[in-house]
Amino acid sequence: DGNFDYVAGFAVPSFSHIRDGWQTVRIPARRYVVGWHEGHISGIRSTWYWLLNHYLPNSGLTLADAPEFERYDERFDDTTGNGGVEIWLPLI
């Protein structure tokens, strides 16, 4: 229906020492296509659009009904908004 949940999180080796009041989300292993957004974070919407509306249909890959996520690693500078971001799209 066009709605989605947004969760900001980070990977942990186990859920055994999660602080009270924090929530956990387990994303099961599956096949993903990983795209790369180059440039300032303000342009990431166009990368998502290209991946979903051009790359996937032209590649023959099908998006699964599963979590999609962005992965920000040490290359991303949260002060400037530059450095790049991985976009992970689940596949059937």
Side-chain angles (χ1 to χ4, degrees):
D1 59 0
N3 295 320
F4 66 93
D5 292 324
Y6 180 85
V7 177
F10 55 92
V12 294
S14 77
F15 292 155
S16 60
H17 299 297
I18 301 298
R19 295 180 184 177
D20 289 339
W22 286 38
Q23 295 181 355
T24 59
V25 176
R26 188 177 307 272
I27 300 176
R30 65 173 312 119
R31 194 172 135 213
Y32 283 87
V33 63
V34 180
W36 178 252
H37 170 73
E38 186 70 42
H40 194 268
I41 193 63
S42 63
I44 198 167
R45 185 179 303 216
S46 63
T47 303
W48 273 95
Y49 182 88
W50 181 82
L51 285 167
L52 294 172
N53 295 291
H54 296 281
Y55 179 78
L56 284 181
N58 292 324
S59 69
L61 300 172
T62 303
L63 188 65
D65 184 15
E68 305 161 355
F69 59 93
E70 297 170 4
R71 181 174 175 267
Y72 297 77
D73 61 21
E74 65 279 349
R75 296 172 287 186
F76 182 74
D77 183 338
D78 62 350
T79 302
T80 66
N82 291 306
V85 177
E86 292 177 354
I87 298 174
W88 289 57
L89 301 174
L91 301 174
I92 293 178

